[in-house]
Amino acid sequence: MKSYVKVALATVMIGAGVWIGAVYSNTAVGSGTSQPGTADDPVVTKSYVDQQIQKALGGGGSTTPAKPAEPAPSAVEEVKVVNLKPGKILFAKAGTEFIVRSGKAVIYTESKDGVADLTDGVDLVNGQAAPTNHLLSFPRDGRGITVKEGIESGLVVMVRGGYQIK
């Protein structure tokens, strides 16, 4: 066969394949899609969607938007920057979080249990160094941090939650 005949035949075959594919994809068997607004794909209003959401949440069929829930108190607590002088202890209330930003800090606890270092996933006990820039969580009252012995500069600590300096 001549090369121009081969090219023409290939063009016809490719064209026929594209045409058959296009026709087949527009039928209900091929694509499975339907026109918006039909029974298969209905258009709904925002009030209908809101009503169905309220029903699913157990709030009845009211179309008025629900009042947003009040945020938990811990979610609105601000972060405070605390400067701790040598010889002082920064005690945390239960649930408070500290981040030591500068200085050499050590953990202070009255019990054998310690403070959770959430950054490394370890428990820090009494007298152990508190790493800088690590998130420390205090599960109970009576635990805190202090400046390492022999260090004359203080600490800068970011605190979220309740605390007391003694």
Side-chain angles (χ1 to χ4, degrees):
M1 265 189 174
K2 302 269 185 193
S3 65
Y4 66 87
V5 174
K6 289 181 184 177
V7 170
L9 223 99
T11 303
V12 169
M13 294 298 283
I14 291 172
V18 169
W19 179 74
I20 290 171
V23 169
Y24 183 72
S25 70
N26 285 334
T27 63
V29 174
S31 67
T33 61
S34 60
Q35 294 291 347
T38 64
D40 293 334
D41 187 14
V43 177
V44 296
T45 62
K46 180 184 180 303
S47 61
Y48 174 78
V49 172
D50 290 343
Q51 188 178 38
Q52 295 303 315
I53 291 172
Q54 288 299 320
K55 282 182 184 177
L57 296 175
S62 171
T63 58
T64 58
K67 182 180 175 187
E70 293 291 323
S74 63
V76 295
E77 287 187 30
E78 62 184 47
V79 175
K80 298 174 188 119
V81 177
V82 177
N83 292 309
L84 186 67
K85 306 251 186 253
K88 299 288 185 180
I89 300 174
L90 180 62
F91 285 99
K93 301 283 184 191
T96 300
E97 298 173 337
F98 288 177
I99 297 176
V100 178
R101 293 293 293 151
S102 68
K104 300 287 184 186
V106 293
I107 301 297
Y108 176 84
T109 62
E110 296 173 349
S111 66
K112 66 177 177 107
D113 296 322
V115 173
D117 180 351
L118 300 178
T119 305
D120 278 345
V122 296
D123 199 38
L124 304 174
V125 295
N126 190 39
Q128 193 171 358
T132 56
N133 299 318
H134 282 221
L135 180 60
L136 306 175
S137 176
F138 295 80
R140 292 194 175 92
D141 293 346
R143 301 172 188 187
I145 60 173
T146 186
V147 179
K148 184 176 181 180
E149 241 180 84
I151 303 295
E152 294 180 15
S153 60
L155 299 174
V156 176
V157 182
M158 292 172 47
V159 179
R160 181 182 304 145
Y163 68 93
Q164 185 177 19
I165 298 175
K166 291 185 181 179

